[in-house]
């Protein structure tokens, strides 16, 4: 506990999926998003390290303004195919390209997370392997036109129609593919001073 007060958890993301997943842990938090944070990374960075690097870069933008009783969670998710990093698609053509890349094969979804207070900073990444069936041109077109996945790494959301009809196997955390490895986050924060596990509030 910091100065006798409970830590305030801040989720640095506007993603409705990340909000839903963090809320599922039973901890109280608020959302705070700073505009204009750069999400670039060095060209020579290994693909599996990109998400964690960007999560830490996001965290550094918040660190100076943090109060003593605040803990900020930053995260970034990428899709990796043959060491090629797929972020969010720029347009329909780019989304189609990404879906063709993951069709009929396995890829990795990597979410990097950084937990930051004024006193410490911890970062980690979690990887899930996802396998898709061969997607037809009609299925790809239908998904892009109806779900417009331009805010999603790899141009898909596993919780949407494309996941229902396309995913044939998954190795690792499903929630990590949605954008937040909540099980690992729970392990990291449940023993943190000043953060009450949900059962401590139960009557």
């Amino acid at each position: 506990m910091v100065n006798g007060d409970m830590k305030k958890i801040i989720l640095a993301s506007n993603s409705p999926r990340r909000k839903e997943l963090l809320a599922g842990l039973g901890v109280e938090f608020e959302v705070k998003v700073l505009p204009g944070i750069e999400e670039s990374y060095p060209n020579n960075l290994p693909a599996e390290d990109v998400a964690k690097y960007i999560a830490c870069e996001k965290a550094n933008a918040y660190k100076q303004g943090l109060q003593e009783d605040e803990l900020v969670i930053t995260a970034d998710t990428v899709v990796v195919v043959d060491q090629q990093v797929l972020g969010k698609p720029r347009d329909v053509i780019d989304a189609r390209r990404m879906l063709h890349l993951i069709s009929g094969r396995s890829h990795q979804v990597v979410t990097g997370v950084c937990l930051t207070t004024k006193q410490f900073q911890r970062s980690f990444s979690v990887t899930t392997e996802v396998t898709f069936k061969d997607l037809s041109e009609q299925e790809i077109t239908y998904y892009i036109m109806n779900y417009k996945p331009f805010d999603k790494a790899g141009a898909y959301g596993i919780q949407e129609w494309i996941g229902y009809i396309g995913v044939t196997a998954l190795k690792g955390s499903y929630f990590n593919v949605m954008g937040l490895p909540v099980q690992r986050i729970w392990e990291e924060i449940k023993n943190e001073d000043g953060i009450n596990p949900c059962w401590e509030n139960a009557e």
Side-chain angles (χ1 to χ4, degrees):
M1 192 172 295
V2 180
N3 296 329
D5 297 321
M6 296 303 299
K7 276 196 179 75
K8 293 192 296 184
I9 297 177
I10 297 170
L11 176 63
S13 174
N14 266 329
S15 164
R17 296 170 298 280
R18 288 189 177 132
K19 291 184 219 177
E20 176 187 355
L21 290 171
L22 189 58
L25 291 182
V27 295
E28 294 185 2
F29 66 94
E30 63 180 79
V31 173
K32 181 179 179 182
V33 179
L34 298 178
I37 297 178
E38 185 63 44
E39 296 188 15
S40 60
Y41 55 90
N43 291 331
N44 61 349
L45 194 66
E48 61 270 18
D49 294 336
V50 167
K52 184 167 71 171
Y53 178 91
I54 295 175
C56 290
E57 288 294 292
K58 291 179 180 178
N60 290 336
Y62 286 82
K63 194 169 186 180
Q64 187 173 358
L66 280 178
Q67 301 300 309
E68 292 290 333
D69 63 343
E70 293 178 332
L71 180 150
V72 65
I73 300 174
T74 53
D76 190 75
T77 301
V78 299
V79 167
V80 179
V81 181
D82 294 336
Q83 292 300 300
Q84 178 182 353
V85 175
L86 305 183
K88 299 171 184 176
R90 297 182 299 274
D91 50 31
V92 170
I93 294 173
D94 201 29
R96 190 180 300 278
R97 175 186 69 87
M98 291 182 182
L99 290 171
H100 276 295
L101 276 174
I102 65 175
S103 174
R105 59 183 304 189
S106 297
H107 63 271
Q108 291 73 47
V109 179
V110 185
T111 298
V113 177
C114 192
L115 307 176
T116 305
T117 70
K118 273 197 170 296
Q119 293 77 32
F120 73 86
Q121 188 172 75
R122 291 202 301 272
S123 61
F124 57 88
S125 63
V126 175
T127 300
T128 303
E129 184 174 277
V130 182
T131 303
F132 266 86
K133 71 164 190 142
D134 286 315
L135 298 169
S136 71
E137 200 65 49
Q138 292 83 358
E139 288 167 339
I140 289 174
T141 298
Y142 174 84
Y143 177 64
I144 294 173
M145 293 300 102
N146 286 276
Y147 290 86
K148 298 177 172 49
F150 307 115
D151 64 336
K152 298 175 177 66
Y156 80 92
I158 195 170
Q159 73 280 7
E160 295 178 340
W161 180 82
I162 197 78
Y164 292 139
I165 66 100
V167 173
T168 60
L170 185 143
K171 184 178 180 181
S173 168
Y174 173 85
F175 298 118
N176 185 57
V177 184
M178 285 182 65
L180 206 61
V182 283
Q183 188 276 331
R184 177 66 183 274
I185 289 174
W186 174 254
E187 293 301 320
E188 293 286 343
I189 70 172
K190 71 177 182 179
N191 296 319
E192 184 64 38
D193 286 345
I195 297 176
N196 271 356
C198 51
W199 56 72
E200 292 190 8
N201 298 320
E203 294 182 358

